[in-house]
Amino acid sequence: MAGRFLRGAGLHAEIFADERIPGGYILAIGGAEQSHVNLKHPQEVFYEYLRRIANVADLAAPAGAPVRCLHLGAGALTLARYLQATRPGSEQHAVELERELLDFVVDQLPLPEGTDLTVYIGDARHEVAFGDVDGPFDLVVLDVFAGEDAPEHLTTADFYAELLELLSPRGVLLVNIGDDPPLAFAKRQLGAVLESTPHAALLADASMFSCRHPGNVVVAARREPWPQEWTAALLAAGPHPAGVLTGAELRSFAG
């Protein structure tokens, strides 16, 4: 096990082998598992919510074609590794608040050969507004918070509007939201996204839509209309039981 103290968060980060999966490693921060990486097979994504995000990434451009992606919250760079494995030559940018975390991750879990990744250290909103992050992007992935402890300035309709403006015409904004019953925070975030665009979907384990279970939901939003064929593809891709809300069902869920 390797460890590093994150001065900004005041927490210890640890990376250790996943004994269940050859080549698998887990990043834990403050004792909580945060990311999973498969160095041998980076196209295999272990966490359910991230697999759903990867499934949308698969639809965002023709198979194998490079994309431009902005990661807000880098973690163990699981999705960056996935995109390099499935879309070689992709141009990727990552914003991470904790400098020590990215240094630690890349040192312990090297990126696949050929990965084109530019890293920015700082607050996600500040870097988008005032840094060197320039669109358009085919994918913008926001994965920085869970539940009511989220930084308020990253949860506003204005911020989501700024992220949507970074998208290419075919682009997709993907927001991971972890929450507990009755999913009040997740519903507020979905509502904030819908203030800027009606072209969105909510992806999750189908049981999450009962609002009786803790877990993750993923908001996928576009500036252009949501392709209906994507809904069928995402339902088929899983992880199962997969649920996808769009249109009137989505607006009803947001309240």
Side-chain angles (χ1 to χ4, degrees):
M1 180 184 295
R4 182 75 56 88
F5 182 69
L6 308 179
R7 289 175 292 179
L11 300 170
H12 281 90
E14 298 171 320
I15 292 175
F16 52 91
D18 182 353
E19 297 180 353
R20 301 163 294 180
I21 300 177
Y25 291 86
I26 296 169
L27 167 67
I29 298 177
E33 293 187 8
Q34 197 266 355
S35 298
H36 187 282
V37 168
N38 189 331
L39 290 184
K40 289 187 176 181
H41 303 286
Q43 71 276 16
E44 296 181 1
V45 178
F46 185 76
Y47 286 173
E48 283 194 9
Y49 85 86
L50 199 55
R51 180 67 256 180
R52 298 185 199 281
I53 290 176
N55 290 343
V56 177
D58 290 346
L59 300 171
V67 294
R68 293 192 83 229
C69 180
L70 173 62
H71 307 267
L72 300 175
L77 297 167
T78 305
L79 188 63
R81 301 168 195 273
Y82 177 83
L83 290 176
Q84 175 60 21
T86 59
R87 299 181 177 277
S90 292
E91 179 187 338
Q92 304 194 63
H93 300 256
V95 178
E96 173 56 53
L97 189 61
E98 298 283 352
R99 180 182 300 276
E100 291 92 347
L101 178 60
L102 271 184
D103 291 344
F104 177 52
V105 165
V106 174
D107 180 56
Q108 296 295 320
L109 305 172
L111 291 170
E113 184 176 353
T115 301
D116 178 4
L117 178 69
T118 302
V119 172
Y120 310 87
I121 302 300
D123 172 79
R125 188 163 192 180
H126 184 273
E127 292 300 316
V128 165
F130 304 110
D132 296 324
V133 177
D134 293 320
F137 293 99
D138 302 303
L139 296 165
V140 174
V141 182
L142 178 63
D143 188 7
V144 297
F145 50 67
E148 300 289 352
D149 293 333
E152 185 176 355
H153 67 292
L154 302 183
T155 65
T156 67
D158 288 345
F159 183 48
Y160 292 129
E162 292 169 15
L163 297 183
L164 286 162
E165 285 298 317
L166 290 176
L167 294 178
S168 66
R170 70 182 183 186
V172 189
L173 167 64
L174 292 150
V175 184
N176 172 47
I177 306 169
D179 202 6
D180 296 315
L183 304 190
F185 175 74
K187 291 180 179 182
R188 288 201 305 274
Q189 295 313 293
L190 174 59
V193 171
L194 291 175
E195 287 187 33
S196 297
T197 178
H199 309 307
L202 190 66
L203 288 58
D205 183 299
S207 66
M208 288 294 295
F209 299 148
S210 71
C211 301
R212 295 196 298 265
H213 308 286
N216 293 71
V217 298
V218 174
V219 179
R222 291 164 46 96
R223 295 165 63 184
E224 299 294 327
W226 178 263
Q228 289 306 310
E229 63 271 21
W230 283 22
T231 299
L234 293 169
L235 287 171
H240 300 293
V244 179
L245 298 183
T246 61
E249 286 185 323
L250 181 69
R251 294 188 294 273
S252 176
F253 184 84

